[in-house]
């Protein structure tokens, strides 16, 4: 991703975002084996790989023979696919293109939209004729880099772009957190935070290259908002809410007015009385991972 950022900063302000249609399902066995035979001298290894490729697929309880493609989820499949796509890398290098590829995700950076359209057309022919692979025209596009994503990242539109987390990646995380919190109403907040911790730490570690921090800060605030809403629902009655707010430092009068305001959980979770009673430091003391703080710490350590 850092290399992609350098390409855009150097003036490659258009990207060919090329998607290969069902790569792991469409790998041509004979073509792949011919390439492997040029690299592997031991015939026994080639026989084992051929058997691996031909391993049957379970469909509706029945084993179906495999005529093309590599077993999805198999540890050898990504390596075999990369061996096949090495020809694509060499072709792009021969043409002098700046590109980033990871498995079947490929972004090629060019100087104009016209150059991108011509390149996508020629690569579609190259892949079809040389590698027996199909470009997914519906998912492929020529666009500005900040309009597309690669491996969950995107960029800002500035002359010197910053790496940011793609909108779809943010949406996937919020959907996962919502699912975890949906069952949290009957559990304590510390137990819920404990369940969230590995999800948030893993996500922050993956996106540690992100330079645009606003989305991380917004996510942190959104999660605290959701957890405050969980607590508001758990307190249920106005009398309980008043007691809990007073226990956390609010005056009797303010706690009474807040507990009896007649508003819903989401509104109350973002209101000043809940923010005062349950500040960021309260959640930090319970071990809630801050995505912004974690990403910044990982960047300082690298």
């Amino acid at each position: 991703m850092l290399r992609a950022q350098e390409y855009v900063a150097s003036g490659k302000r258009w990207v060919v975002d090329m998607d290969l249609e069902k790569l792991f399902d469409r790998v041509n066995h004979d073509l792949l084996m011919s390439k492997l035979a040029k690299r592997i001298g031991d015939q026994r290894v080639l026989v084992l790989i051929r058997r691996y490729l031909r391993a049957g697929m379970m469909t509706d309880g029945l084993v179906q023979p495999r005529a093309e493609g590599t077993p999805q989820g198999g540890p050898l499949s990504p390596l075999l696919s990369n061996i096949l796509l090495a020809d694509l890398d060499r072709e792009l290098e021969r043409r002098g293109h700046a590109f980033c590829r990871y498995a079947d995700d490929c972004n090629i950076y060019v100087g104009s939209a016209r150059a991108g359209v011509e390149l996508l057309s020629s690569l579609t022919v190259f892949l079809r004729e040389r590698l027996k692979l199909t470009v997914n025209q519906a998912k492929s596009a020529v666009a500005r880099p900040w309009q597309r994503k690669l491996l969950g990242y995107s960029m800002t539109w500035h002359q010197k772009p910053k790496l940011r987390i793609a909108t779809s990646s943010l949406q996937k995380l919020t959907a996962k957190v919502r699912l975890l919190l949906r069952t949290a109403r009957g559990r304590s907040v510390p137990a819920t935070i404990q369940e969230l911790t590995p999800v948030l730490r893993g996500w922050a570690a993956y996106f540690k290259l992100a330079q645009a921090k606003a989305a991380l800060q917004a996510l942190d605030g959104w999660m605290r908002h959701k957890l405050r809403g969980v607590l508001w629902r758990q307190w249920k009655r106005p009398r309980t809410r008043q007691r809990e707010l007073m226990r956390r430092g609010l005056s009797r009068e303010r706690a009474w007015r807040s507990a009896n305001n007649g508003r819903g959980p989401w509104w109350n979770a973002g209101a000043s009385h809940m923010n005062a009673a349950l500040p960021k430091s309260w959640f930090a003391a319970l071990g809630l991972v801050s995505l912004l703080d974690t990403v910044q710490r990982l960047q300082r350590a690298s």
Side-chain angles (χ1 to χ4, degrees):
M1 284 308 305
L2 293 174
R3 187 185 302 171
Q5 184 185 17
E6 292 171 3
Y7 295 151
V8 177
S10 68
K12 306 288 187 180
R13 306 288 286 181
W14 290 86
V15 62
V16 179
D17 186 356
M18 189 170 64
D19 181 84
L20 298 179
E21 189 170 349
K22 298 181 179 179
L23 170 65
F24 292 101
D25 294 334
R26 298 284 175 83
V27 170
N28 184 284
H29 289 178
D30 293 334
L31 183 61
L32 176 60
M33 291 307 301
S34 69
K35 294 182 180 299
L36 290 172
K38 295 176 183 177
R39 298 165 176 259
I40 301 172
D42 193 330
Q43 198 65 27
R44 295 170 299 176
V45 175
L46 294 173
V47 170
L48 283 173
I49 294 175
R50 173 73 79 167
R51 288 178 179 174
Y52 170 81
L53 292 173
R54 287 182 172 175
M57 301 176 290
M58 184 71 74
T59 306
D60 297 327
L62 299 174
V63 177
Q64 303 289 337
R66 187 191 303 274
E68 62 178 358
T70 60
Q72 295 239 11
L76 195 58
S77 295
L79 174 61
L80 295 176
S81 299
N82 271 325
I83 290 173
L84 183 65
L85 289 175
D87 279 6
L88 172 62
D89 296 342
R90 284 195 287 268
E91 178 65 15
L92 291 172
E93 289 168 355
R94 185 185 68 80
R95 298 186 188 187
H97 288 300
F99 69 96
C100 294
R101 184 182 69 78
Y102 184 86
D104 57 342
D105 286 330
C106 185
N107 277 9
I108 308 148
Y109 298 88
V110 294
S112 69
R114 181 178 178 180
V117 171
E118 292 174 353
L119 177 60
L120 181 58
S121 177
S122 66
L123 288 178
T124 298
V125 175
F126 171 84
L127 288 163
R128 183 177 64 245
E129 294 181 352
R130 289 280 297 274
L131 301 180
K132 312 299 181 187
L133 295 173
T134 304
V135 173
N136 189 328
Q137 297 295 337
K139 293 185 178 180
S140 300
V142 178
R144 296 293 195 178
W146 48 88
Q147 296 172 329
R148 308 298 290 182
K149 66 181 179 69
L150 177 65
L151 302 177
Y153 283 91
S154 188
M155 297 184 197
T156 63
W157 53 267
H158 301 93
Q159 190 67 33
K160 292 184 177 179
K162 294 182 178 181
L163 289 179
R164 66 177 179 86
I165 302 166
T167 302
S168 58
S169 301
L170 298 172
Q171 291 171 344
K172 286 178 182 177
L173 177 65
T174 54
K176 192 167 189 177
V177 171
R178 278 195 183 98
L179 188 61
L180 286 172
L181 293 182
R182 195 171 297 164
T183 58
R185 297 178 189 178
R187 294 199 309 268
S188 67
V189 169
T192 301
I193 289 174
Q194 189 174 7
E195 190 173 356
L196 280 171
T197 296
V199 174
L200 300 179
R201 280 184 177 163
W203 194 87
Y206 182 83
F207 288 106
K208 66 180 180 180
L209 298 177
Q211 297 165 320
K213 304 298 192 297
L216 295 170
Q217 193 170 16
L219 275 174
D220 282 341
W222 176 80
M223 277 186 290
R224 292 193 296 271
H225 193 140
K226 293 288 287 185
L227 289 168
R228 291 185 186 108
V230 169
L231 276 172
W232 189 261
R233 287 187 178 93
Q234 287 180 350
W235 294 342
K236 292 183 181 178
R237 294 185 176 87
R239 183 177 297 178
T240 306
R241 290 167 178 169
Q242 180 185 4
R243 184 181 69 245
E244 293 295 335
L245 290 172
M246 289 174 59
R247 192 160 69 88
R248 289 167 173 79
L250 270 67
S251 67
R252 178 181 294 274
E253 182 184 354
R254 187 182 181 191
W256 183 87
R257 283 191 284 105
S258 300
N260 291 277
N261 60 36
R263 302 274 191 154
W266 181 253
W267 186 91
N268 277 285
S272 60
H273 54 271
M274 286 294 278
N275 279 273
L278 304 168
K280 179 182 177 180
S281 58
W282 187 84
F283 289 104
L286 290 180
L288 179 64
V289 172
S290 166
L291 295 173
L292 177 59
D293 293 347
T294 303
V295 166
Q296 290 179 330
R297 176 173 54 79
L298 291 172
Q299 289 176 348
R300 288 194 298 269
S302 61

